[in-house]
Amino acid sequence: MSETRIARPGEVIIDPDEIAGIVARLAEEISHDYEGRNPILVNLLKGGVVFLADLMRALQVPHQIDFMHVSSYENGTSSSGRVRIVDDLSCSVEDRDVLIVEDVIDTGTTLAYIVNVLQLRRPRSLEVCTLLKKGLEGAVRMPIRYVGKVIPDIFVVGYGLDYEEGFRDLPYIASLEFVDRPQPDV
Ligand code: IMP
Ligand code: MG
């Protein structure tokens, strides 16, 4: 039998203007804190890539970027609890100021794992910047230096965030809703 429910963006949770305001505020804080330090922004693919592209252009301090591809959701909307490094960084973070740039922190499992991995590489400092944080205190408690916005514990898509690889291109962040697929007349 074919799938009878289809996923689509629902209510807009954060519109493009609000996103721009959040990015500008975070960039100002980071620029202030990292003056003269040339940090490496470590972006977690793929969800964080749109956020990074906007954030880096708003920063007023020299910085480098690098990417780590991690996966925690096998599929769907609930965390598998397992984290896997799909692709590692291309540069050394030893003795560098590292700022992890993440799209959303849900349970915190992904972040806790990455923080542990990066700490072992002896950075000079290690902080986290996330665009979104879900309201519930996650399973893993992590000090998050920069938080764009706290949102309710719902699954969201757009601005880099996906549902089964779709909807990353939306310029806003929306809830995800499921509707019945129209049935062909028989
Ligand atoms: P955590 O390990 O439970 O904190 O999950 C973090 C990762 O799961 C994020 O980096 C996202 O890739 C993904 N994720 C969590 N919540 C959402 C969501 O609402 N929409 C899309 N992806 C999400
Ligand atoms: Mg992610």
Side-chain angles (χ1 to χ4, degrees):
M1 212 178 79
S2 68
E3 185 57 68
T4 56
R5 308 274 282 165
I6 50 174
R8 68 177 190 193
E11 187 194 346
V12 174
I13 307 292
I14 314 182
D15 67 27
D17 282 351
E18 187 179 355
I19 293 175
I22 292 169
V23 171
R25 172 179 59 78
L26 291 172
E28 199 176 310
E29 286 174 31
I30 294 166
S31 298
H32 174 266
D33 294 350
Y34 284 86
E35 195 159 357
R37 291 166 65 189
N38 192 24
I40 301 179
L41 309 190
V42 168
N43 193 221
L44 302 187
L45 295 171
K46 304 173 199 170
V49 75
V50 178
F51 176 41
L52 176 79
D54 283 345
L55 184 71
M56 65 184 289
R57 287 177 295 171
L59 286 182
Q60 284 155 29
V61 286
H63 59 274
Q64 290 173 228
I65 59 169
D66 204 349
F67 298 91
M68 207 169 197
H69 189 181
V70 298
S71 174
S72 68
Y73 286 8
E74 295 301 315
N75 246 329
T77 61
S78 63
S79 180
S80 65
R82 288 187 306 272
V83 184
R84 195 163 61 91
I85 295 183
V86 182
D87 267 311
D88 207 338
L89 297 175
S90 64
C91 67
S92 165
V93 297
E94 190 171 344
D95 210 23
R96 297 294 304 269
D97 292 304
V98 175
L99 179 61
I100 297 173
V101 177
E102 173 64 307
D103 51 358
V104 55
I105 298 171
D106 182 3
T107 63
T109 311
T110 310
L111 195 64
Y113 179 82
I114 296 306
V115 165
N116 283 338
V117 166
L118 294 182
Q119 283 291 11
L120 292 171
R121 300 179 188 178
R122 303 172 184 278
R124 184 188 306 144
S125 70
L126 182 59
E127 300 288 352
V128 179
C129 172
T130 186
L131 177 65
L132 306 176
K133 184 174 183 304
K134 298 208 179 160
L136 296 176
E137 264 319 312
V140 185
R141 283 174 179 276
M142 283 284 319
I144 312 296
R145 180 84 172 258
Y146 308 97
V147 177
K149 185 167 183 168
V150 176
I151 60 164
D153 187 25
I154 54 169
F155 197 83
V156 292
V157 293
Y159 197 71
L161 293 148
D162 75 304
Y163 172 68
E164 296 190 343
E165 295 300 325
F167 312 119
R168 293 193 197 274
D169 53 326
L170 298 176
Y172 52 84
I173 293 167
S175 64
L176 186 71
E177 67 180 27
F178 291 90
V179 292
D180 289 332
R181 186 189 291 277
Q183 295 298 301
D185 295 332
V186 277

